[in-house]
Amino acid sequence: MFCFVFLSVCANFAAMKLYSDEALAKILDKDIFHQISEVADQMGVECYVVGGYVRDIFLERPSNDIDVVVVGSGIEVASALKKQLGKKAHLSVFRNFGTAQVKYRSKGPAGKSQEVEVEFVGARKESYSHDSRKPIVENGTLEDDQNRRDFTINAMAICLNKTRFGELVDPFNGIADLEDGIIATPLDPEVTFSDDPLRMMRCIRFATQLNFHIEPETFEALQRMADRIKIVSGERIEVELNKIMMAPHPSIGFEYLQRSGLLQIILPELAALDIVEKKDGRAHKNNFYHTLEVLENVIKAPSNLPPLGEASLWLRWAALLHDIGKTKSKRWEPGIGWTFHNHNIIGAKQVANIFRRLKLPMGAEMKYVQKLVDLHMRPQVIADSEVTDSAVRRLLNDAGDDIDDLMTLCEADITSKNDIKKKMFLENFRIVREKLADLQVKDYKRLLQPVIDGNEIMEMFHLQPSREVGVLKQYLKDAVLDNKVENEREPLMQLLMQKAASMGLKTT
């Protein structure tokens, strides 16, 4: 079981307010809801605000995305609302899905303008085939519509018709589950997850975001139905994974994913770390739970980027994947014990395949994560010995603008329970940071590229792009990084000629 201590559900939600129908009517006392009510009554149809917007009223979380179910045509009600709102509203109709969206700007808190989205759909009932997430849809009642919802806390509805304005319709007692901090399905969870396997990811995502418990019967169904996730596209899984990743404590979600069996299917490289092997009385740590601790440390690091910033997402991914190479690199060495040599290099090579499989972006984001996984051992190696300018300069050159994130990851990687050892590591990293700051002040970054470049080398020795050119470039770069010569043309040219001669290259 996951060993970290988070705020309990009771602590988070003991103060959750329960509202009477009259109080709900007051909360919904906004122009948009009264306008929807007026349109629905004129058309003689039942109309309800449903789902996340209702849930977030009780959790007192702000939301501008409103879902409305109409017992009839949602498109017709949306069209009538657009007509009533006039030019300030925009209508989008999606006839293939039987939905319509109305966007408009309204005054929010302190009179600031904010965009509001209202999604309309007709009440419906759904049936599924075994090999597809796409349902067969029929018109239905409000009861049918609530039956098809994923979780009890998302199945509540509030009536918008004038005679019942503010009345809560809660057939599955979602209010009680909100109070108790429970994620449960309205109907048989096995059927719910079999019909749409993405709901398994959503189940864990909501439990993570809200710090809720998954109800035991629901969790057992997750375990039984985990294999069904294979019919869900990588793009949809990616969205849910990133939402879990950006939760206040994503480790809750990854433990649920591991215990349910879902992680072994969607991210087996991480799941494989959940093992402890013992030999000759010596065991290595559980690298899965170590990884979760590193992920939590990265999030709470004072030097971290704003917790909801886009860049922070990829730093979290780097923390999650930093040790995935340990499964392939693990060796037992007599007299030494368990070793994981080059796990950073092996892990970095795995990153691209993971990103490709999960449909994560393959551009700068992937390369950033790959770089941090590859380099995450370097500061520790430097800190374990004398912290020389040469070693730190090389680290700064290789990490570039990501050096601060790399140091944050490396410091988060210190999870030793030995306080003395932990203090020593952190002090060593402090020295590395000081050296980095000193070198940055001296603007070494500007000097790290030798003044003689590859094009000039090819011209001098009549070479095409080749291994020889790379060797000569690296030789000059190493000389500058190791402070053997100044980054000036004359001493570098002498070194270049000596190295070229040793390789049998001549100028004309």
Side-chain angles (χ1 to χ4, degrees), residues 219-270:
F219 186 74
E220 289 167 9
L222 276 178
Q223 294 175 307
R224 290 193 301 271
M225 304 305 296
D227 201 57
R228 287 280 288 158
I229 200 67
K230 292 177 181 177
I231 73 166
V232 180
S233 70
E235 290 87 350
R236 299 305 298 270
I237 290 174
E238 174 215 352
V239 169
E240 295 301 325
L241 275 178
N242 282 340
K243 287 179 179 179
I244 290 170
M245 190 72 86
M246 293 306 293
H249 294 292
S251 297
I252 297 173
F254 283 100
E255 194 202 5
Y256 271 133
L257 287 169
Q258 175 70 342
R259 287 173 50 214
S260 66
L262 287 165
L263 195 64
Q264 290 89 324
I265 298 170
I266 62 178
L267 193 47
E269 298 89 345
L270 181 61

Side-chain angles (χ1 to χ4, degrees), residues 44 135 154 191 220-221 239 249 253 330 350 356 405 469 481 500 505:
N154 294 334
V191 174
E220 289 167 9
V239 169
H249 294 292
K330 181 167 61 176
Q350 292 176 282
R356 188 175 295 109
D405 285 357
V469 177
L481 289 172
L505 299 175

Side-chain angles (χ1 to χ4, degrees), residues 108-228:
K112 290 185 178 179
S113 176
Q114 61 183 15
E115 187 171 85
V116 177
E117 295 182 7
V118 186
E119 190 90 21
F120 290 86
V121 65
R124 59 192 185 184
K125 54 184 176 181
E126 298 175 343
S127 57
Y128 292 80
S129 61
H130 186 75
D131 60 350
S132 174
R133 289 183 54 241
K134 295 180 180 179
I136 300 169
V137 178
E138 302 175 67
N139 293 335
T141 64
L142 176 65
E143 180 183 3
D144 292 326
D145 201 88
Q146 289 178 300
N147 286 344
R148 72 177 182 85
R149 298 277 162 177
D150 50 8
F151 308 111
T152 60
I153 62 172
N154 294 334
M156 296 181 288
I158 301 175
C159 187
L160 296 179
N161 295 97
K162 186 174 182 180
T163 57
R164 296 169 53 210
F165 192 84
E167 178 185 314
L168 178 66
V169 183
D170 183 16
F172 305 108
N173 213 5
I175 280 290
D177 287 347
L178 274 180
E179 284 188 277
D180 295 337
I182 290 173
I183 304 294
T185 59
L187 303 177
D188 181 345
E190 191 163 311
V191 174
T192 297
F193 296 146
S194 179
D195 283 349
D196 184 355
L198 185 64
R199 289 169 177 165
M200 294 189 287
M201 296 294 297
R202 286 170 55 82
C203 178
I204 292 174
R205 188 248 294 180
F206 280 120
T208 308
Q209 289 178 325
L210 300 176
N211 197 7
F212 275 23
H213 299 297
I214 300 175
E215 182 262 337
E217 185 181 347
T218 302
F219 186 74
E220 289 167 9
L222 276 178
Q223 294 175 307
R224 290 193 301 271
M225 304 305 296
D227 201 57
R228 287 280 288 158

